[in-house]
Amino acid sequence: MAEKYVGQRIKRNEDPRLLTGRALFVDDVELHGMLHAAFLRSDYAHARLVSVDVSAARNRPGVVAVYTAEDLGDLWKPGPLLVPAPHSVENVVFHQRTQVPLAKDKVRYVGEAIAVVFAESRYIAEDALADIWVDYEPLEPVVDMERALDADAPLIHEDLDSNLCAHLAQEKGDYQAAREQADLIVSRRFLVDRGAAGAMENRGVVADWDEKAQHLTVWDTTQAPIPIRNGLAGMLGLSAHQVRVVAPFVGGGFGPKIMMFLSEEVLVPWGSMQFKRPVKWIEDRQENFLATTQERGQVHDAEMALTSDGRILGVRDVFIHDTGAYDPYGMTIPLNTQSHAMGAYDVPNYYTEVKVAFTNKMIVTPVRGAGRPQGIFVAERLLDIAAKELGIDRVGIRRRNLIPPEKFPYNHEIIDQAFAPLVLDSGNYRLALDQAVKRIGYEEFIKDEQPRLRAEGKRVGLGIVVFIETTGIGPYEGARITVETSGKISVATGVGTQGQGHFTSFAQIVADQLGVDVRDVHLVTGDTAEFHWGTGTFASRGAVVAANAIHAAAVAVRAKTLKLASKVLETPEEELELRDGEVRVADIPRQSIGLGELAVLANPLRGAVEPGTEPGLEATDYFGPQYGATANGAQAMIVEVDPETMMIEIKRHVVVEDCGTVLNPLIVEGQVHGGVALGIGNSYYEKLVYDENGQLLNASLADYLIPSATEVPRMEVGHEVTPSPLNPLGSKGAGEAGAIPVPALFAQAIEDALADYDLEVLETPLSPNRLFELLQGKEKAE
Amino acid sequence: MRLSGEYLFDGPREKVWELVRDPKVLTSAIPGAQSMDQVSENEYEGKMEVRVGPVAGVFSGRLVVSDEVPPESYALSVQGRGVIGFARGSGRIQLIDRGDDTTLMKYEGELQIGGKLAGVGQRLMDSASKSIVRQGLESMNAALQAPATGEEGKGNAPV
Amino acid sequence: MSDLYEVSVTVNGTVYQRSVEPRLLLSDFLRHELGLTGTHVGCEHGVCGACTVLFDGEPVRSCLMFAVQANGHQVSTVEGLGTMEELHPLQQAFWEAHAVQCGFCTPGVLMTLLPFLEENPTPSEEEIREAISGNLCRCTGYQHIVDAVLLAAEKMPSQGDC
């Protein structure tokens, strides 16, 4: 079979709708008689709720209802735990404390919902929030994750003995023994602070309960419509078939839109059932800062043991992870951190231990990167520091330690976020590093350009790092593919789409199998009425798990098509080919039959379906990987620091990515660019600043700086391809790779640019102010 | 957030004392203040329109005076809140007789803010609170000069 | 409830007359009163640029204006550009260069760029980046948007006489 589309730079099928403003986003849903919801949110990070008086709000004209926790009846209970604790690890501690629909008795973070107003318009609903009077008794807030674990820290969940949410230690080999053999041990403390996902579209939910049909339709900006449907049905006492969840076009996801039955996602559908009217809630940007989940936030005490020639003997990493006030996402993020703190290296001995702390801050769940940037930051920074101390070149020390190609599959002997052994499936890590070295012109820069620029007084530096990204975890995804009587193909899959180009990359796979034009493949994603088995779009799994399910279904439809055509054309299947929307006899193109015609024949109006066959040219299939595929890559950058303003200009940025088989290079490059931009934000611009009282001080886009086109440089993207042996397409995920290594890269480049200060960057994100402070410290020390 | 400073009144200490302890004068002097009612000897309740950058709304608040040493000093605690968040603070005010019919006020305090006021207004809170204090003090000083207390000193001095 | 005001606004050449509350934002007016949902709202404080429309030909943030301010004025939104069958050359260039991912910021970016390209038909990369620096995009890292504008500048007919 000729691959006409897979691997090609195909323009996206979905773009004309998006470019002309005709694509449906959740806030575009307008229904007759629709009510609007608004939420009253806590002003305090930690306080007892003495009383909540909603009487005035209820009396405001245009207000239909105002509810507090007391009014919710059976609906009021903690939300589901989305990911359990890893049962396969011994001695794991995990205290499940998930969020509630509306706070009762106590608030645990600024922004926690206390009451909900349903009104005839959003304007009236917001007016009514001002009528609600809450009597708080402020409690001492626990903001710092280390302080949270102190024995005398105030308790966030008073039924626990401490603010310890979870504890997990894993070991590979014997780190302590390795340490004793080492010539050099570098140990440092690293801080990674919080940032926002910052999708341009805020969250939103529209729900429509049809009393006569006894059916609920929910439009939701979710990355995981099927689990949301199943969960909502359970909470609302409905059968799953009475609930349809649609994730239409979603304006960026990046993790928090997996949505996890936070207040709005539960109360808006519930409200629609109460009033038998449609209800809409659209988050505003400030709510997005206060009420949408966030990530990063770890403190690491890490060390690396090496030989004098720079071989890593072992890594030890003991860290605290801040989960915020609740823990609906289990231990996914710290498990990812544990899986990435060995970097792309052959590390024989590893000890990793995490304590997860509850704090009075917004809940932490995965944001693009999801624990991996923290791990890579630790691994790459330790190796940089070791290289300096040993006087070894930073590229050299990396080459020496990369997992060599002959060692794959490489078993790290700890478990990963899927609770499967962390086995790196395939790769040739050295190729990516070598390509990055070449593209950035490493040798020339170090030998000639940097000394020349430094002589001109310019502070220029280069960074070069390598990374891995575990992707494409199970459990599974599925797809149904149908040849329609028009000859066009329809594809339904359960994953939602938030800009990843699924309408195109998935169509490419199908078009190749069935020999049709890629524009004739119509995809429906994220609508549970079309397909209701699957999990969702996260963990860089679309191009692996969903794509391979689609591939499997397409192969099945192809087989059915050939079988029928063979009968009709009276030619053995081996002599047939699918091309241009037809099945033809390969040597005699005139002997052919269109796919549409075959579809009609496959669904006859008279006659019986033969036993053992099914009507139609349709197939449903699934794909569940044995374990995740691991992508890898290298990035390099050249920066210039302005010592007056501490502003940083990225002069060049090189990305080399190995995500196995590339379905559509245009889309992969787009994913890389966007990931790098977030990584730049995570490195120098984006930090959620909480004060000592747990107040978020930069809850607007004016104060929280998402990089604009003038901060993000032009990137040069190169590819290496080592296909994954774990799936037929050979694909690995690419969604998060761009973001993962950038903080480590940035730190190295800045240190290099400011070599005369002998600065060590041990935290991220930095900022011009913070860099200035660090340099002040240096000057004072000297 | 810390708030501290000094201000020189063109008048004798006893008169300044009367002024700063008069709810009517305070209502007219504090920018945005809409009402101030004495609810007990040392407690006042009132409403104030607060505007910090893009955040604006009415605060309901309570002010408690304690540790009074007339006409020299007193301590102050304030609590205010509204749909835009809350503010809580405490401080101490001292009046120093300079002997030349002028009075030096020294003030210092701590202010804690929360909610939208913190999330969106924080960047501007420092300058906004300083400006409120300065405008208030200037209006009171103007009232001090006026023959009849109160009315002329309406707190609408330009920033 | 507040009084209603009669407004007459010309959007993409069509005159719309509506009674609106004085506090109704122009963005909400376009989206919810007129059903022109191509204009998106990302921050409601004028930073993200998603809601950019042309107001008498000039790009403005429709979330920072009230509908009543548009009374008697001309507004252009993304719906007034090309159609799905026949894209505007700028839209076509966005398609070809893969300048769209989730597509939420896209209408605002397009509306910002239209007058920019009219004024500067052959911009440099730096000028393009400057021009869209008030439009936040979280998906693309901007590179393909810049490429699309360079491509559009090549392809678009000179607009000297419009």
Side-chain angles (χ1 to χ4, degrees):
Chain A
M1 190 195 67
E3 291 205 333
K4 190 171 160 196
Y5 292 114
V6 168
Q8 301 302 309
R9 304 172 77 88
I10 306 291
K11 284 188 298 193
R12 304 197 322 172
N13 285 345
E14 54 268 57
D15 286 2
R17 271 186 286 173
L18 291 163
L19 281 161
T20 54
R22 268 80 166 173
L24 183 84
F25 289 87
V26 170
D27 191 25
D28 302 344
V29 176
E30 288 288 348
L31 299 169
H32 181 69
M34 191 156 70
L35 294 174
H36 294 262
F39 289 81
L40 181 78
R41 303 184 184 282
S42 173
D43 285 338
Y44 284 86
H46 200 194
R48 225 170 278 294
L49 285 177
V50 180
S51 66
V52 184
D53 182 355
V54 298
S55 50
R58 282 183 176 146
N59 290 331
R60 178 178 282 271
V63 170
V64 173
V66 184
Y67 295 121
T68 66
E70 307 297 333
D71 306 315
L72 299 183
D74 292 344
L75 187 72
W76 194 93
K77 58 180 163 219
L81 182 67
L82 301 167
V83 184
H87 41 73
S88 51
V89 183
E90 270 177 52
N91 301 323
V92 61
V93 173
F94 181 74
H95 299 294
Q96 173 179 343
R97 292 296 179 277
T98 54
Q99 75 290 343
V100 293
L102 292 172
K104 190 190 271 185
D105 305 327
K106 196 175 171 181
V107 287
R108 295 185 175 86
Y109 63 90
V110 173
E112 184 163 15
I114 296 171
V116 57
V117 175
F118 295 97
E120 298 291 343
S121 80
R122 174 65 182 240
Y123 288 69
I124 296 171
E126 287 192 22
D127 288 344
L129 295 181
D131 302 335
I132 301 173
W133 189 255
V134 183
D135 205 357
Y136 298 96
E137 179 194 324
L139 300 168
E140 186 189 325
V142 183
V143 182
D144 180 82
M145 66 186 113
E146 289 180 84
R147 164 74 186 136
L149 296 178
D150 285 348
D152 65 340
L155 291 177
I156 294 168
H157 296 282
E158 287 158 25
D159 55 334
L160 295 176
D161 305 335
S162 73
N163 293 317
L164 180 76
C165 160
H167 180 229
L168 171 67
Q170 299 201 68
E171 184 154 27
K172 168 190 184 183
D174 183 345
Y175 176 76
Q176 210 46 43
R179 190 180 202 277
E180 279 156 27
Q181 311 276 311
D183 300 314
L184 173 73
I185 290 159
V186 287
S187 57
R188 294 290 187 279
R189 163 162 272 227
F190 300 102
L191 304 177
V192 182
D193 217 324
R194 277 196 190 207
M200 283 300 107
E201 178 200 40
N202 295 310
R203 292 180 303 143
V205 183
V206 177
D208 184 19
W209 170 251
D210 183 335
E211 178 72 7
K212 284 183 185 157
Q214 293 284 298
H215 187 270
L216 178 70
T217 307
V218 180
W219 289 265
D220 189 342
T221 57
T222 178
Q223 295 171 233
I226 296 167
I228 295 297
R229 180 196 73 150
N230 298 344
L232 278 181
M235 288 175 196
L236 300 172
L238 299 171
S239 118
H241 291 282
Q242 286 176 282
V243 185
R244 173 188 177 197
V245 174
V246 185
F249 279 96
V250 173
F254 313 118
K257 281 192 189 157
I258 293 169
M259 306 267 283
M260 42 277 322
F261 306 101
L262 299 186
S263 314
E264 308 84 6
E265 201 166 39
V266 175
L267 292 176
V268 169
W270 178 79
S272 179
M273 292 180 73
Q274 301 298 304
F275 313 119
K276 306 182 185 7
R277 287 174 69 176
V279 180
K280 179 187 265 192
W281 169 75
I282 300 296
E283 184 180 58
D284 69 23
R285 182 55 65 180
Q286 200 206 0
E287 287 183 290
N288 187 264
F289 277 103
L290 296 178
T292 285
T293 57
Q294 309 164 346
E295 204 220 301
R296 316 288 193 253
Q298 292 180 349
V299 183
H300 290 254
D301 286 302
E303 62 177 52
M304 187 177 266
L306 303 101
T307 61
S308 58
D309 62 351
R311 261 230 150 268
I312 301 171
L313 296 175
V315 173
R316 177 189 152 92
D317 183 21
V318 176
F319 65 104
I320 303 173
H321 170 76
D322 175 0
T323 190
Y326 301 97
D327 57 2
Y329 222 96
M331 299 177 71
T332 297
I333 298 166
L335 278 167
N336 271 345
T337 305
Q338 293 190 326
S339 295
H340 287 76
M342 292 176 279
Y345 305 114
D346 186 0
V347 176
N349 302 288
Y350 181 47
Y351 176 78
T352 176
E353 179 181 350
V354 62
K355 283 181 180 163
V356 180
F358 287 117
T359 60
N360 287 122
K361 288 184 284 185
M362 185 60 214
I363 303 165
V364 167
T365 67
V367 171
R368 194 178 205 172
R372 302 179 187 89
Q374 298 94 309
I376 294 295
F377 191 73
V378 168
E380 293 299 283
R381 292 277 63 210
L382 285 173
L383 200 58
D384 282 337
I385 293 161
K388 257 188 209 166
E389 296 204 6
L390 293 168
I392 302 177
D393 169 72
R394 53 200 144 143
V395 170
I397 200 166
R398 285 176 166 78
R399 282 190 179 135
R400 197 158 306 170
N401 285 292
L402 287 174
I403 297 170
E406 64 275 13
K407 280 203 173 180
F408 290 99
Y410 182 92
N411 191 343
H412 262 312
E413 296 169 33
I414 62 167
I415 63 112
D416 69 2
Q417 62 154 320
F419 309 162
L422 177 63
V423 178
L424 311 182
D425 59 309
S426 63
N428 193 337
Y429 294 177
R430 173 112 184 219
L431 293 179
L433 176 60
D434 287 350
Q435 192 185 141
V437 165
K438 202 167 160 210
R439 280 181 184 262
I440 201 82
Y442 179 75
E443 305 292 341
E444 302 83 328
F445 182 83
I446 299 293
K447 280 204 194 90
D448 309 326
E449 205 176 339
Q450 192 175 37
R452 180 173 55 75
L453 291 167
R454 278 183 176 157
E456 289 171 21
K458 290 191 171 146
R459 291 196 154 86
V460 288
L462 183 148
I464 185 160
V465 299
V466 294
F467 66 97
I468 58 164
E469 182 200 358
T470 59
T471 78
I473 56 165
Y476 73 94
E477 287 299 335
R480 184 186 65 245
I481 298 179
T482 313
V483 179
E484 298 190 353
T485 52
S486 62
K488 296 194 175 178
I489 314 297
S490 75
V491 182
T493 179
V495 299
T497 189
Q498 307 90 40
Q500 297 89 341
H502 294 153
F503 295 91
T504 313
S505 54
F506 292 169
Q508 289 172 246
I509 296 167
V510 176
D512 274 350
Q513 284 297 329
L514 299 182
V516 296
D517 191 302
V518 71
R519 308 276 172 236
D520 287 335
V521 180
H522 178 74
L523 236 101
V524 178
T525 71
D527 181 346
T528 62
E530 292 287 332
F531 201 83
H532 63 261
W533 295 103
T535 44
T537 308
F538 51 85
S540 297
R541 61 196 292 281
V544 183
V545 190
N548 277 288
I550 283 167
H551 178 256
V555 167
V557 172
R558 178 186 171 86
K560 279 189 179 177
T561 305
L562 284 172
K563 193 172 172 193
L564 180 61
S566 159
K567 215 187 263 179
V568 176
L569 296 173
E570 296 175 334
T571 309
E573 286 181 37
E574 310 81 66
E575 292 171 26
L576 297 177
E577 60 177 20
L578 282 88
R579 271 177 76 171
D580 303 331
E582 295 179 332
V583 185
R584 347 177 146 142
V585 179
D587 300 335
I588 322 166
R590 271 176 306 164
Q591 261 186 36
S592 67
I593 181 165
L595 287 179
E597 227 175 307
L598 275 173
V600 173
L601 292 175
N603 185 23
L605 287 172
R606 293 290 182 275
V609 172
E610 281 177 41
T613 67
E614 293 164 349
L617 295 180
E618 179 175 289
T620 301
D621 214 331
Y622 300 89
F623 179 76
Q626 192 190 346
Y627 54 90
T630 300
N632 72 283
Q635 289 194 20
M637 70 168 28
I638 292 172
V639 299
E640 180 172 351
V641 184
D642 179 339
E644 295 289 313
T645 62
M646 296 295 156
M647 293 307 283
I648 280 172
E649 191 189 343
I650 301 173
K651 303 291 231 184
R652 287 190 62 206
H653 196 131
V654 165
V655 180
V656 182
E657 168 74 19
D658 184 347
C659 56
T661 305
V662 174
L663 303 178
N664 184 333
L666 209 51
I667 288 175
V668 169
E669 280 162 28
Q671 286 289 322
V672 168
H673 294 160
V676 167
L678 173 70
I680 290 169
N682 283 165
S683 303
Y684 209 60
Y685 300 99
E686 300 184 41
K687 176 175 164 176
L688 291 165
V689 181
Y690 283 89
D691 74 4
E692 66 279 11
N693 297 308
Q695 297 288 342
L696 178 60
L697 299 183
N698 52 350
S700 84
L701 291 178
D703 294 326
Y704 180 86
L705 302 178
I706 287 180
S708 79
T710 47
E711 283 87 43
V712 180
R714 177 162 284 278
M715 294 157 241
E716 203 181 309
V717 181
H719 297 281
E720 292 293 340
V721 179
T722 47
S724 174
L726 300 176
N727 64 73
L729 289 171
S731 52
K732 302 172 180 179
E736 298 168 273
I740 292 168
V742 181
L745 177 68
F746 208 86
Q748 192 197 96
I750 286 188
E751 280 179 7
D752 191 35
L754 298 168
D756 47 339
Y757 283 87
D758 200 22
L759 174 74
E760 265 188 8
V761 176
L762 305 175
E763 63 188 62
T764 188
L766 293 175
S767 65
N769 279 343
R770 183 62 190 144
L771 185 57
F772 179 77
E773 281 172 18
L774 290 175
L775 294 181
Q776 291 292 102
K778 274 287 157 200
E779 280 169 351
K780 271 178 210 153
E782 273 156 20
Chain B
M1 188 178 67
R2 284 200 67 76
L3 207 58
S4 65
E6 293 183 351
Y7 187 80
L8 191 63
F9 283 97
D10 300 317
R13 183 159 74 169
E14 281 70 16
K15 283 191 88 173
V16 175
W17 178 262
E18 270 171 39
L19 212 58
V20 299
R21 295 287 286 108
D22 181 346
K24 278 203 197 96
V25 174
L26 290 177
T27 311
S28 61
I30 297 170
Q34 296 176 343
S35 65
M36 179 97 71
D37 302 315
Q38 192 158 11
V39 292
S40 76
E41 196 193 331
N42 288 314
E43 272 184 77
Y44 305 87
E45 280 182 1
K47 284 192 190 302
M48 177 175 170
E49 160 101 36
V50 176
R51 177 174 286 279
V52 180
V55 189
V58 174
F59 258 38
S60 304
R62 174 179 288 254
L63 190 149
V64 180
V65 172
S66 57
D67 287 341
E68 231 181 332
V69 187
E72 281 175 35
S73 69
Y74 64 98
L76 199 64
S77 81
V78 289
Q79 277 195 36
R81 58 185 173 142
V83 71
I84 59 169
F86 70 86
R88 299 195 298 166
S90 58
R92 186 151 193 92
I93 286 170
Q94 211 188 339
L95 298 179
I96 296 160
D97 187 348
R98 304 236 303 174
D100 57 355
D101 267 2
T102 66
T103 306
L104 183 69
M105 174 191 270
K106 288 188 171 182
Y107 58 91
E108 57 176 349
E110 279 278 339
L111 192 66
Q112 183 194 330
I113 55 170
K116 196 174 277 192
L117 201 55
V120 181
Q122 188 272 341
R123 190 166 41 108
L124 305 157
M125 193 61 204
D126 203 42
S127 58
S129 50
K130 278 181 185 140
S131 130
I132 288 172
V133 169
R134 198 188 65 237
Q135 282 186 53
L137 293 170
E138 277 168 6
S139 306
M140 281 199 273
N141 196 26
L144 195 63
Q145 314 312 315
T149 57
E151 294 310 302
E152 287 88 333
K154 268 278 181 209
N156 52 3
V159 183
Chain C
M1 211 150 301
S2 357
D3 297 333
L4 297 180
Y5 287 77
E6 294 293 322
V7 294
S8 168
V9 187
T10 307
V11 184
N12 303 327
T14 305
V15 181
Y16 294 90
Q17 291 181 324
R18 292 287 188 281
S19 304
V20 299
E21 279 192 63
R23 63 175 174 173
L24 184 72
L25 298 175
L26 179 58
S27 51
D28 284 346
F29 176 75
L30 292 169
R31 291 180 48 76
H32 303 306
E33 291 284 329
L34 306 186
L36 296 171
T37 53
T39 300
H40 296 150
V41 177
C43 72
E44 287 182 306
H45 51 262
V47 179
C48 80
C51 68
T52 305
V53 298
L54 300 185
F55 187 80
D56 295 335
E58 291 293 318
V60 298
R61 309 287 157 114
S62 61
C63 76
L64 292 184
M65 282 186 70
F66 295 112
V68 290
Q69 291 174 275
N71 189 23
H73 291 271
Q74 303 269 344
V75 175
S76 310
T77 70
V78 70
E79 285 91 346
L81 283 178
T83 62
M84 294 206 357
E85 295 69 36
E86 198 173 340
L87 296 173
H88 181 280
L90 183 59
Q91 291 170 314
Q92 183 69 31
F94 265 58
W95 193 15
E96 280 168 25
H98 182 34
V100 183
Q101 286 189 33
C102 81
F104 195 80
C105 72
T106 308
V109 177
L110 292 172
M111 298 319 281
T112 302
L113 283 166
L114 276 182
F116 166 74
L117 280 174
E118 253 175 55
E119 238 169 71
N120 186 353
T122 53
S124 66
E125 169 155 358
E126 207 180 332
E127 288 167 335
I128 296 167
R129 286 182 181 272
E130 196 61 46
I132 57 168
S133 64
N135 291 80
L136 296 179
C137 170
R138 195 57 149 172
C139 297
T140 66
Y142 307 102
Q143 185 155 323
H144 284 161
I145 298 179
V146 173
D147 292 347
V149 183
L150 290 168
L151 185 66
E154 242 173 65
K155 291 201 171 171
M156 271 164 82
S158 168
Q159 309 209 348
D161 47 11
C162 34

